[in-house]
Amino acid sequence: MHDREWDYAHTDFAAPADRPAPAGLADSESDWRRHLEGRTPNGWLLRDNAMLEALTGGRPIYLMHTTAALDLIRSTGQVCASAGCLVGAIYCAPLTKTPTGLRPHNLGSYLLETKRDTRTLVFQITPDAPVPAKGLDYLRLGGIHLRTYLTYRGVLTDAEDAQLRQAAVARLRAAAGFLDVLLANACGTGTPREEFVDRLAATVPHLPFLGYLYFEVLAEYLMLHSTAPETKEYAQAGEMNNRLYKRLAFSAVTGMGRLFDLAQFGPDHDRLVHLISQVEPALAPGAAEYVRRRLSHLFACLALAPSQDAASVTFHGMDLDTLTEISPHLLGHTIFHQMRWLPRYPQLFHTFEQAKSLEAYAYWNAHGIPTPFNGRLPKGEIGINPAYPAAGWAVWVAEICERGLLHPVERLDVAFVPRLTDLHLTALGRARHSRGPRPVH
């Protein structure tokens, strides 16, 4: 059930890019795939990287996971998942087995350096067959968010439901002028890049989904275009350089260490050039134009139903029924984000998030995926499907030696459980996100 929606939300890096898209776009997904793979310094890593090699090789897969709840894991004998970019998978980073220990991927070494109040677990997953190179792109989950809301909206009070709907429509109407600019650029119009980025930054507070999209476009730009010595060193190991976008995010948004909230990501043009200059100066001159072209294309693909013609759509004056028909993915993302601000969100969390996770587990099981990964890019964000029935697995507590290698020291008698952990044990819950400043309507 719903396989087509979940297919749409996954990117297969071993297959042609041929997902349905709106008509009228200046470029296709295939055009962009060819450009990114063949015309960027690190584009070859989209198909040929250490993580995908480990997944598709049919051999045991080693992963690391940081946790602040080791005592709880020991006492319950369970490892649960969290909601997020991997929709109910257990968030990990890859490890490479060497004669002297398990070497973390650069994403993992970054986590070890920055999450000092956590313990590190090592997972060994032995799949029963090579794992497909299919990753989940969380930016493509809008239609699933919308369907889940429509299915379970009966658990909301009438006032909550009305609040969600009114707030979502209000946000999209407030952003309508720039959303039309995005569609025009996706169809070939060339808005001046400085004006474009400034309008993008001004619209993010009204439509937080654009903050996520803006950040992901810049992360892609940095990782694929970087020629820094550090990036070249990681590329030799088959890894994209995750430290680039981490530096960007933490410089751009105060408080990212408390909650990695991309809804707050919205630098204007001058700030963008300054931030990229701090990360890698040679990439600053091309950043704004890349954002204009790439973000416009992705927005049109991610926001509109594939049956639409991007050249003829306008967001001005849209009501809820029209948005549901023409832009279900963008409406779904907007409702999904708005729901986090409901006072009862901690009580509603499992109703909506567990439903999506169970569908994801069923899809992954049907397609032989014990270890899903973030398919926005195969950059090293990889998870464990806790419902996978056939994979052999083992879990250890690990210690880190002076060379930065992991060494399993204590095997745990635990089981993976296909259930989301309590919201209050997640970063979102700990940050009490739903009690922060009210969003802009």
Side-chain angles (χ1 to χ4, degrees), residues 57-267:
R59 299 180 297 275
I61 300 165
Y62 294 91
L63 304 172
M64 60 156 281
H65 171 76
T66 59
T67 181
L70 179 57
D71 290 342
L72 182 62
I73 290 171
R74 279 199 179 104
S75 64
T76 62
Q78 298 179 346
V79 181
C80 298
S82 295
C85 66
L86 294 176
V87 193
I90 300 164
Y91 186 92
C92 302
L95 294 167
T96 299
K97 190 175 184 180
T98 75
T100 54
L102 295 165
R103 180 182 63 80
H105 187 283
N106 72 83
L107 173 61
S109 62
Y110 175 86
L111 295 174
L112 292 173
E113 292 168 15
T114 56
K115 293 184 176 292
R116 298 187 180 277
D117 295 328
T118 63
R119 295 297 302 274
T120 305
L121 303 183
V122 167
F123 301 132
Q124 178 184 312
I125 308 296
T126 305
D128 54 351
V131 180
K134 293 179 67 171
L136 176 70
D137 184 348
Y138 76 99
L139 296 178
R140 291 184 174 269
L141 291 172
I144 293 169
H145 292 324
L146 179 61
R147 175 173 52 76
T148 304
Y149 156 70
L150 292 173
T151 300
Y152 295 101
R153 59 184 287 224
V155 306
L156 302 169
T157 66
D158 290 344
E160 288 170 337
D161 195 34
Q163 178 184 340
L164 277 183
R165 290 169 167 248
Q166 292 166 8
V169 172
R171 284 183 175 277
L172 290 164
R173 286 180 175 172
F178 182 65
L179 300 186
D180 284 357
V181 169
L182 285 172
L183 294 182
N185 278 264
C187 295
T189 296
T191 301
R193 57 181 178 268
E194 183 170 347
E195 174 190 339
F196 180 93
V197 175
D198 284 345
R199 291 192 66 178
L200 169 61
T203 309
V204 167
H206 297 290
L207 198 60
F209 174 69
L210 291 179
Y212 289 81
L213 183 55
Y214 189 5
F215 172 79
E216 293 292 353
V217 166
L218 286 172
E220 176 185 88
Y221 175 70
L222 290 170
M223 286 189 287
L224 296 185
H225 291 82
S226 173
T227 56
E230 176 189 67
T231 301
K232 292 179 179 179
E233 180 182 349
Y234 291 144
Q236 289 177 351
E239 300 174 6
M240 293 183 182
N241 185 356
N242 288 261
R243 292 172 182 263
L244 296 167
Y245 68 82
K246 294 289 188 182
R247 292 171 187 142
L248 174 69
F250 282 88
S251 297
V253 180
T254 302
M256 274 294 198
R258 179 170 174 263
L259 178 66
F260 200 81
D261 183 8
L262 296 176
Q264 306 297 318
F265 187 88

Side-chain angles (χ1 to χ4, degrees), residues 11 82 216 276 308 353 383:
T11 300
S82 295
E216 293 292 353
I276 300 296
Q308 298 301 307
E353 297 308 314

